[in-house]
Amino acid sequence: MSIPLYLEDSYLKTCSGSVVEIGEDKSIVLDKTIFYPTSGGQPGDKGYLQFSSGLCEIVTTRKGENGKIILVPLNHDYLPKLGDTVEQSIDWETRYNHMRVHSALHLLSVVIPLPVTGGSISDIKGRLDFNMPESLSDKEELESHLNELIAGGYKITNSWITDEELAAQPGLVKTMSVKPPIGSGRVRLVRIGSDDQQVDLQPCGGTHVASTSEIGSMRLGKIEKKGKQNRRVNIHFVD
């Protein structure tokens, strides 16, 4: 199992780690990592590993079996060796924008309180698919509400509950198509706001900014019909 350091601190840009596995496909597994693996609609991180004899570019990151986080190198001929200590560096600009978009999508699920059937994140935009039989008639009002929440500067924090506690509170789960990150015995909750002024609380294994004010202004893009009852709502950075 790789220790996912990004779960506790999404702002780690560099960190050392030890190579514990080199796969037959030349993929790399570290004992602990800041690289986020593709999941929940959020792309895997890219970046670099620096070791005693050089540098290895990582083009993406994915999940493996038994909690492994697998780093995919660009050049299969130039890799660290098993047991090597490496210095990890993620592409911070891309990761930070993923964090901003992911946090904005949590707020979008507050502005549009309907079941979520899918979602996707990039470094310039994001989208959620909703179980929405009828199209939105108040797009400008929803966009204004979204930006009000962003400008509110609400803190975004993590906490943990057990799998059993989550099962006893099914209302926390907003997604219909993506299962919450269960199976390890505990589930990470992402909270926007405080106990006194809670904006949102839901299970999530992704990376987020520390305050909604870091997101920046967003605009609602196309609202596309995707099937009989599903509609896709796109959001984009204004800047």
Side-chain angles (χ1 to χ4, degrees), residues 25-26 30 52 79 100 110 114 131 134-135 142 153 167 178 183 192 207 234 238:
D25 60 354
K26 306 302 181 182
L30 304 178
S52 58
L79 303 172
R100 294 168 66 201
V110 173
L114 295 172
N131 185 359
E134 301 296 330
S135 185
L142 292 171
V178 179
I192 301 178
T207 58
N234 296 274
V238 171

Side-chain angles (χ1 to χ4, degrees), residues 9-105:
D9 187 354
S10 295
Y11 287 81
L12 283 175
K13 306 176 185 67
T14 61
C15 181
S16 62
S18 298
V19 179
V20 295
E21 184 177 311
I22 302 290
E24 292 183 1
D25 60 354
K26 306 302 181 182
S27 61
I28 302 165
V29 178
L30 304 178
D31 63 338
K32 58 184 178 182
T33 186
I34 56 175
F35 282 76
Y36 178 83
T38 301
S39 60
Q42 181 174 330
D45 283 330
K46 53 186 178 178
Y48 294 91
L49 300 180
Q50 188 167 6
F51 42 101
S52 58
S53 58
L55 197 71
C56 172
E57 181 175 355
I58 301 300
V59 293
T60 191
T61 309
R62 55 184 173 83
K63 286 186 175 182
E65 295 181 352
N66 301 317
K68 293 179 183 177
I69 297 172
I70 297 172
L71 282 57
V72 181
L74 175 65
N75 188 343
H76 291 183
D77 298 323
Y78 198 67
L79 303 172
K81 296 182 177 62
L82 191 66
D84 277 357
T85 297
V86 300
E87 185 69 14
Q88 311 171 54
S89 300
I90 58 172
D91 177 346
W92 174 246
E93 181 177 359
T94 300
R95 155 70 90 75
Y96 185 58
N97 284 338
H98 288 164
M99 290 162 59
R100 294 168 66 201
V101 171
H102 200 154
S103 298
L105 290 178

Side-chain angles (χ1 to χ4, degrees), residues 60-207:
T60 191
T61 309
R62 55 184 173 83
K63 286 186 175 182
E65 295 181 352
N66 301 317
K68 293 179 183 177
I69 297 172
I70 297 172
L71 282 57
V72 181
L74 175 65
N75 188 343
H76 291 183
D77 298 323
Y78 198 67
L79 303 172
K81 296 182 177 62
L82 191 66
D84 277 357
T85 297
V86 300
E87 185 69 14
Q88 311 171 54
S89 300
I90 58 172
D91 177 346
W92 174 246
E93 181 177 359
T94 300
R95 155 70 90 75
Y96 185 58
N97 284 338
H98 288 164
M99 290 162 59
R100 294 168 66 201
V101 171
H102 200 154
S103 298
L105 290 178
H106 277 224
L107 291 178
L108 183 64
S109 74
V110 173
V111 172
I112 305 175
L114 295 172
V116 175
T117 59
S120 180
I121 295 164
S122 81
D123 60 344
I124 58 173
K125 63 181 181 179
R127 55 92 173 167
L128 287 180
D129 298 345
F130 293 94
N131 185 359
M132 185 192 301
E134 301 296 330
S135 185
L136 300 172
S137 59
D138 49 358
K139 183 177 173 181
E140 291 184 3
E141 182 179 338
L142 292 171
E143 182 179 288
S144 176
H145 187 193
L146 176 63
N147 282 305
E148 283 177 6
L149 292 175
I150 290 170
Y154 296 99
K155 288 184 179 180
I156 302 178
T157 56
N158 306 324
S159 60
W160 296 85
I161 61 173
T162 65
D163 289 354
E164 292 74 21
E165 288 172 324
L166 179 63
Q169 302 177 71
L172 289 174
V173 182
K174 295 186 176 184
T175 55
M176 297 172 65
S177 61
V178 179
K179 292 183 178 180
I182 60 175
S184 65
R186 63 176 192 160
V187 180
R188 177 171 173 259
L189 297 179
V190 172
R191 180 194 303 272
I192 301 178
S194 61
D195 288 336
D196 296 333
Q197 197 175 15
Q198 182 172 289
V199 175
D200 187 50
L201 179 67
Q202 59 178 292
C204 179
T207 58

